[in-house]
Amino acid sequence: MMKLIASSALALMCTSVAAFAMGEGTCAAGKTLSEGTLTIATGNPAYYPWVMNDAPESGEGFEAAVAYAIADKMGFSADQVTWVRTSFDEAIQPGAKNFDFNMQQYSITPEREEMVDFSLPYYVSSMAVLTTQSVVDAGAEATLDSLQGLKWGAVATTTALPILAEVVKPASDPLLYNDNADVNAAIMAGQIDAALYDLPTALYLSAVVVDGGTLLGQFPPEQSENPDKFGLLMEEGNPLRECVDAAITDLSESGALAAIEAEWLAEATGVPVIK
């Protein structure tokens, strides 16, 4: 009888260990799209410095690293994380999702919160002015007076547009485009002088995408009444939200989130502050 009890206890313990290893027995148990798996979405493609070499499964890049840190806090090992790809606009629409959460530099806004849910912020971004060296050579400076005289472009659905309207207040209305690729093409074609992007993305665009690209300056988060705060995007009403928020809070309070930011976004320092 004792042998049977001991065997049953051992079996129960092994089952419990296996369950915990699969993300069960934790806050996330029974709340993910697929039991025992955390499905995370990113862009197609996903760009530096958010994801290195368009390979989120490597855990390299700021958002990839944060994703795995959150997964770990929720009880999922790296091999229990599955990645899927979505477009930015596709994921932000209301309705069922094919992911547990999505990381694509989604700014948390009241309008978007009417369609989807967001986690607590995992990053508060500065906004940077992307332009070209020819515009700088023509006299553009990191001052509001100078910025107001530039011709701006923006994607109508991004948070760059209200910042332009409320902070920069350009002398002429910005030209609106369908996506960031069109904005970048307009800068290179000389149709516009500048555009606003979150600082890490602007660094990448200036170095890799925009010919002659350069950063004129940045608006630090503390200079804005409503700084860009990035959150994990989830289906509205997703019960996993409380688990994700607990993981982000833990990572923030322990300093782990700041360490990941320092590792992958350190290059963002040194850009002039706009006065």
Side-chain angles (χ1 to χ4, degrees):
M1 182 67 174
M2 290 298 293
K3 198 179 271 190
L4 179 60
I5 292 173
S7 297
S8 299
L10 179 61
L12 182 60
M13 182 176 71
C14 290
T15 301
S16 297
V17 170
F20 184 79
M22 290 299 290
E24 299 175 12
T26 67
C27 176
K31 298 177 183 177
T32 54
L33 200 63
S34 300
E35 192 63 34
T37 299
L38 185 64
T39 305
I40 306 175
T42 189
N44 187 24
Y47 293 108
Y48 163 94
W50 309 107
V51 174
M52 303 300 287
N53 302 313
D54 193 26
E57 63 277 2
S58 70
E60 297 183 343
F62 178 69
E63 287 189 336
V66 170
Y68 279 108
I70 291 172
D72 180 66
K73 288 293 182 183
M74 293 170 61
F76 295 92
S77 62
D79 59 6
Q80 290 159 350
V81 172
T82 296
W83 290 91
V84 296
R85 305 296 187 121
T86 70
S87 73
F88 188 95
D89 290 336
E90 168 194 358
I92 213 165
Q93 298 305 311
K97 310 298 181 188
N98 66 337
F99 51 78
D100 292 310
F101 61 74
N102 195 319
M103 299 182 76
Q104 286 190 67
Q105 307 99 63
Y106 283 107
S107 299
I108 303 169
T109 68
E111 294 78 16
R112 291 172 179 174
E113 287 183 312
E114 293 179 359
M115 299 182 289
V116 295
D117 279 348
F118 287 102
S119 70
L120 292 173
Y122 61 90
Y123 179 63
V124 181
S125 176
S126 300
M127 294 297 286
V129 178
L130 175 68
T131 186
T132 60
Q133 189 59 47
S134 60
V135 173
V136 174
D137 291 343
E141 299 177 340
T143 65
L144 278 176
D145 285 346
S146 181
L147 297 185
Q148 288 166 356
L150 299 181
K151 187 62 182 177
W152 291 85
V155 177
T157 56
T158 68
T159 53
L161 199 57
I163 292 174
L164 279 174
E166 297 165 14
V167 179
V168 178
K169 300 178 181 178
S172 59
D173 292 337
L175 299 180
L176 302 183
Y177 297 88
N178 291 325
D179 55 34
N180 288 336
D182 289 341
V183 174
N184 299 333
I187 290 177
M188 288 186 284
Q191 295 172 356
I192 58 175
D193 298 319
L196 280 177
Y197 287 99
D198 61 83
L199 183 52
T201 297
L203 284 164
Y204 169 76
L205 293 174
S206 67
V208 179
V209 176
V210 176
D211 293 337
T214 189
L215 299 191
L216 186 57
Q218 63 170 310
F219 294 97
E222 62 270 17
Q223 286 191 352
S224 173
E225 291 184 8
N226 297 294
D228 239 8
K229 296 179 180 179
F230 295 170
L232 309 184
L233 183 149
M234 291 169 276
E235 183 177 329
E236 188 174 23
N238 191 334
L240 200 63
R241 179 179 175 178
E242 62 177 315
C243 310
V244 173
D245 282 351
I248 292 174
T249 298
D250 194 346
L251 291 168
S252 180
E253 292 178 351
S254 69
L257 200 56
I260 295 172
E261 183 176 335
E263 178 179 1
W264 294 107
L265 302 182
E267 189 183 357
T269 60
V271 179
V273 174
I274 295 166
K275 300 175 181 179

